[in-house]
Each structure stands twice: as structure tokens, then as C-alpha cells.
Amino acid sequence: MATGEVKTRFKGLLASSAERHSLVDDVQGVLAGSMLAAFGVLLLSGGKLLSGGTAGVAFLLHYMTEIGFGPIFFVLNLPFYYFAYRQLGAAFTIKTFSAVALTSFLTATLPRFISFSSLDPLIAGVFGGLLVGTGMLALFRHRASLGGFGILALYLQDRFGWRAGLVQLGFDGLVLVFSFFVATPFIIFCSVMGAVVLNLTLAINHRKDRYIAM
């Protein structure tokens, strides 16, 4: 391969515009979004809190079985990839699979390096929800998600114009109903606060008419 052709291909990896992300942009976005989400999950888990969507189901199973959140979260998302591929394309599916795998890995690994001697559940809910929401926002803006209900929420926004954050909030509410069987009212309240912060972060900041890059 000629040197000029190599340079052209390399520049293509870096080239981005107002309408389209470069490959490097997408890699950075998926890494950053996954890292933020994983740290948010670490806060939620440290506060013994719950969440919505597939993450909420993973938290419920984690507390009931003591199996790590990461492996459960990864397995729960497997059925959604076929839907993502059929409805949103191969690129979205690959980036989402990468984000879910990385987030699952980090949530299983970070507790070896980070621990909390004292963590108020309300603080854990608010800051954990903000971090996960910001991570999901980064992923959404690079045409990826954390799988599960997030795939469906993003599809419904693209298809019908429904706000992804509000759709996600509806799914989260259903999952949090089941938390009454495994948590105290105060823990549930803090979990709800985290879910509200997470989804308002998405609803306010993620709009197709404000961010058009693919």
C-alpha cells in the first residue's frame, strides 16, 4: 500500500464534521460514556440502591443472588442485540455491544481499586444517577446505548419523536415497582431520586434538533 494511501486512510479515521463523527470520535465517546456509567453504577451499588431498565433488573438479581452486577448486566442485554441490529443497524449494535461489555467489565473491576467507607444513599442516588445519565448521553450522541430498554427508547425517539429520557423513565418506573419487595422505603426513595436525575439528564440534553451528528 502506498504511503499516500495510508495517510489518506489515517486522515479518514480522524475526519469529522458537524453531521458525522469520525471513528476516533466514536471510540472516545464509547469509552468515556462507559467509564462514566460504570462509576455511576459503583456509587449506586455502594449505596445499596436500585435503578430502572435492565440495569435495575441486574441490581435486583445482584442483591438476591450475590452474583456480580457486571456479568448479570451483560447477559441480560444479549436478547436485545438482534432487535438493535434489525431496527438500528450494525454500527449501532456493535457500538452498543462494546459499551455494554466495557461497562460490565469496569463495574466488576473497579471495586478492587475504589471503595467507600461511608456513602449516604441519597448522595449515591443523585450523583450516581447523574453519572450514569451523562454516560448514556455520551453514548446516545455517538449512536450507541447501554442496551436493554435504552435500545428501545432510542428507537422510539427516532421512529416517533418521543423523548428517549421520558420513555426510559416510564420503563424505569415499572422496574422500581418491584424494588418494594427487596428494599426499604428510604432506599427506594433514594433510588427513585437517582432515576429521576438520570432520566432528566437525558430528556433535557438529548434532542435530535439540537445535536445532529451521527
Side-chain angles (χ1 to χ4, degrees), residues 126-144:
V126 172
F127 281 84
L130 179 61
L131 281 169
V132 175
T134 304
M136 293 179 66
L137 179 64
L139 294 172
F140 281 8
R141 288 186 169 181
H142 288 270
R143 297 297 295 171

Side-chain angles (χ1 to χ4, degrees), residues 110-188:
L110 284 177
R112 302 177 187 175
F113 305 97
I114 302 173
S115 62
F116 302 99
S117 60
S118 176
L119 184 60
D120 182 83
L122 184 58
I123 296 299
V126 172
F127 281 84
L130 179 61
L131 281 169
V132 175
T134 304
M136 293 179 66
L137 179 64
L139 294 172
F140 281 8
R141 288 186 169 181
H142 288 270
R143 297 297 295 171
S145 79
L146 285 179
F149 296 144
I151 294 175
L152 184 57
L154 197 58
Y155 168 72
L156 290 175
Q157 175 169 281
D158 288 346
R159 181 69 176 82
F160 300 107
W162 300 351
R163 294 282 187 86
L166 297 180
V167 173
Q168 184 85 28
L169 183 60
F171 289 131
D172 289 352
L174 291 176
V175 175
L176 286 172
V177 167
F178 291 95
S179 67
F180 283 92
F181 297 100
V182 298
T184 65
F186 178 65
I187 290 297
I188 293 172

Side-chain angles (χ1 to χ4, degrees), residues 6-168:
V6 172
K7 290 182 178 180
T8 299
R9 291 192 176 185
F10 181 73
K11 289 181 179 179
L13 296 177
L14 300 176
S16 62
S17 66
E19 293 80 21
R20 185 165 297 278
H21 291 294
S22 69
L23 177 61
V24 173
D25 291 340
D26 283 338
V27 170
Q28 184 276 332
V30 170
L31 286 173
S34 301
M35 292 168 69
L36 287 168
F39 195 76
V41 168
L42 184 66
L43 287 175
L44 295 174
S45 180
K48 301 298 181 183
L49 303 181
L50 298 139
S51 185
T54 49
V57 177
F59 271 123
L60 287 172
L61 295 175
H62 167 57
Y63 296 141
M64 293 171 61
T65 66
E66 297 187 355
I67 299 174
F69 171 90
I72 296 175
F73 182 64
F74 180 80
V75 171
L76 285 176
N77 275 290
L78 292 177
F80 290 91
Y81 294 124
Y82 175 75
F83 175 82
Y85 176 75
R86 291 294 301 270
Q87 300 295 333
L88 298 168
F92 175 89
T93 304
I94 292 171
K95 286 186 284 187
T96 294
F97 178 86
S98 300
V100 170
L102 181 57
T103 302
S104 299
F105 172 77
L106 289 174
T107 55
T109 304
L110 284 177
R112 302 177 187 175
F113 305 97
I114 302 173
S115 62
F116 302 99
S117 60
S118 176
L119 184 60
D120 182 83
L122 184 58
I123 296 299
V126 172
F127 281 84
L130 179 61
L131 281 169
V132 175
T134 304
M136 293 179 66
L137 179 64
L139 294 172
F140 281 8
R141 288 186 169 181
H142 288 270
R143 297 297 295 171
S145 79
L146 285 179
F149 296 144
I151 294 175
L152 184 57
L154 197 58
Y155 168 72
L156 290 175
Q157 175 169 281
D158 288 346
R159 181 69 176 82
F160 300 107
W162 300 351
R163 294 282 187 86
L166 297 180
V167 173
Q168 184 85 28

